[in-house]
Amino acid sequence: TSRIARHASISSENTVNFDFPYQGPQHATLTLRQHPSYGRDAILSIEQGQILCYSYDGCTIRVRFDDSPATTWRAASAADNSTTSNFLRAESRFVERMQKSKIVRIQVSIYQEGSPTFEFRVGGFSASRHRGSD
């Protein structure tokens, strides 16, 4: 179609090291997507491993904006059952909080790897620039 899709993404500042078979340092990526068919999404993804979030009932993750207390955030797995991505619920609320922050930390449960925290330096993000006028 001639409709515009936009996305903004950032890699985590820190890396984690998982055991076999996903060994080696890896970053997480935080992506904001605006798609004409799928709408607006906030997506956390890892390079390798298995995020524990089931499509039939979703999951919770922990999110911390700057130095505020960590809060529980609802998430869901990808429609294609990929285990490397999580879709954060309440995208507009997430973006609103993120826009006022310099750092966002997201803690997510990974199969046989515990719950690592990924840190994203998001200061300066402009939702209006990302969303455009279409």
Side-chain angles (χ1 to χ4, degrees), residues 2-88:
S2 61
R3 297 175 9 202
I4 296 173
R6 290 184 169 90
H7 78 276
S9 62
I10 188 169
S11 292
S12 62
E13 290 289 311
N14 62 316
T15 59
V16 295
N17 286 294
F18 293 158
D19 288 332
F20 180 83
Y22 306 115
Q23 69 273 12
Q26 65 171 299
H27 289 92
T29 302
L30 178 61
T31 302
L32 300 179
R33 176 179 76 177
Q34 177 181 319
H35 193 280
S37 298
Y38 306 122
R40 294 180 175 148
D41 296 296
I43 306 164
L44 175 74
S45 57
I46 58 174
E47 296 166 352
Q48 302 177 65
Q50 298 175 45
I51 297 174
L52 294 176
C53 192
Y54 305 103
S55 59
Y56 52 87
D57 63 357
C59 59
T60 57
I61 60 175
R62 306 273 296 163
V63 179
R64 184 175 178 196
F65 297 93
D66 289 331
D67 292 326
S68 66
T71 57
T72 300
W73 209 275
R74 298 287 306 150
S77 64
D80 67 358
N81 294 317
S82 164
T83 59
T84 57
S85 295
N86 245 0
F87 286 70
L88 284 66

